[in-house]
Amino acid sequence: MSQKRVYLFGNGKAEGNAKMREELGGKGANLAEMNLLGVPVPPGFTITTDCCNEYYQVGQQKIMELLNEDVMAAVKHIEVLMNSKFGDKENPLLVSVRSGARASMPGMMDTILNLGLNDEVAEGMVKKTQNPHFVYDSYRRFVQMYGDVVLEMKPVNKTDIDPFEEIIEKVKEALGRYLRCVPFLDERARYPLS
C-alpha cells in the first residue's frame, strides 16, 4: 500500500481529524475537525506535512509525480461538491492555498487566494457577477500573492517598496487619477475613478 499524502475534507466529512496535527499540520487538522463537527467551511484537501520533508529528499519533480494523481482527484472532489470547475470560464472554481506547519507559527502562513483566475476566467466572472472591479481586484490580489509567495517578488526589508505597489502607483500617476475604494454595499456596487 502506498503512503497517503492527500486528505480530503468537505460536506461534513473528513479523512482527518484534530488529533492528526503531526500529519496534517495545525490548520489541516482543524479544518478536518470543523467539517466533522458540522461547521460550514468550504471543501478542500490537505497535503501532509511529511510531503515537505519528502520534497527535500526527492526534489520537486519527483514530489510532483508522487502527488499529481491524488491532487487531481482532490480537485475533482471539490469541483463536485462546489458544482463548479477549475479553469472553467462560465462557472469557475477558485481555490486558496495556504502553507501550514505542525506547530503554529504566527506570521509564517503564506497564502495565495483566487488560484484558478486567468484572463479568460476573469472575463467570464465579469459577465456572471456584473462587477468588473470586484473581479479585477481579485485577479490583482491573486497575481500579487503569487508573485510574493511563489516568485519571491517582495521587499527585502521594511524600507523597500513592494514591487507590485510600485507598479500600481505608477499606473495611477500615469492616469492622473487616484483609484478610490469604497466598501462593498451590494452586487451593484461600483468603484469609480475619481
Side-chain angles (χ1 to χ4, degrees), residues 22 64 76-77 157:
E22 289 296 310
M64 286 173 60
K76 182 61 76 183
H77 173 76
N157 58 53

Side-chain angles (χ1 to χ4, degrees), residues 140 164-181 193-194:
R140 177 204 50 86
F164 289 98
E165 293 301 324
E166 184 176 20
I167 292 167
I168 291 169
E169 289 301 319
K170 285 181 181 177
V171 168
K172 288 194 289 190
E173 188 178 307
L175 289 172
R177 302 176 195 155
Y178 179 77
L179 300 176
R180 177 172 52 102
C181 291
L193 295 173
S194 58

Side-chain angles (χ1 to χ4, degrees), residues 2-180:
S2 63
Q3 173 184 347
K4 186 165 181 63
R5 294 179 174 89
V6 177
Y7 286 75
L8 305 175
F9 60 86
N11 208 22
K13 300 175 185 168
E15 294 180 328
N17 59 54
K19 295 177 184 174
M20 297 177 69
R21 291 179 73 86
E22 289 296 310
E23 295 93 343
L24 304 178
K27 292 285 184 218
N30 289 336
L31 283 167
E33 190 68 21
M34 285 189 292
N35 263 273
L36 295 174
L37 293 172
V39 176
V41 297
F45 62 92
T46 303
I47 298 174
T48 64
T49 57
D50 285 337
C51 280
C52 181
N53 297 329
E54 200 172 11
Y55 168 86
Y56 289 111
Q57 293 168 357
V58 301
Q60 180 177 348
Q61 189 62 40
K62 182 64 176 174
I63 201 71
M64 286 173 60
E65 290 171 18
L66 292 169
L67 286 171
N68 186 58
E69 188 177 319
D70 291 337
V71 167
M72 296 308 279
V75 170
K76 182 61 76 183
H77 173 76
I78 298 170
E79 288 176 339
V80 168
L81 292 179
M82 295 300 295
N83 192 30
S84 56
K85 186 160 177 51
F86 191 78
D88 185 276
K89 62 183 178 184
E90 304 297 321
N91 188 28
L93 170 68
L94 302 180
V95 298
S96 62
V97 181
R98 294 198 73 184
S99 63
R102 290 175 175 146
S104 180
M105 299 170 65
M108 298 301 290
M109 296 299 288
D110 288 332
T111 303
I112 301 173
L113 300 175
N114 307 319
L115 184 66
L117 261 174
N118 59 35
D119 291 349
E120 294 80 23
V121 169
E123 286 179 31
M125 285 181 64
V126 167
K127 288 178 188 171
K128 187 174 185 172
T129 66
Q130 296 297 303
N131 193 336
H133 181 84
F134 165 72
V135 173
Y136 291 118
D137 191 48
S138 297
Y139 198 4
R140 177 204 50 86
R141 280 182 284 178
F142 164 65
V143 170
Q144 194 164 355
M145 289 177 175
Y146 187 89
D148 179 2
V149 174
V150 178
L151 301 177
E152 297 183 350
M153 298 172 64
K154 54 188 164 190
V156 177
N157 58 53
K158 291 185 180 194
T159 60
D160 287 348
I161 298 170
D162 181 290
F164 289 98
E165 293 301 324
E166 184 176 20
I167 292 167
I168 291 169
E169 289 301 319
K170 285 181 181 177
V171 168
K172 288 194 289 190
E173 188 178 307
L175 289 172
R177 302 176 195 155
Y178 179 77
L179 300 176
R180 177 172 52 102

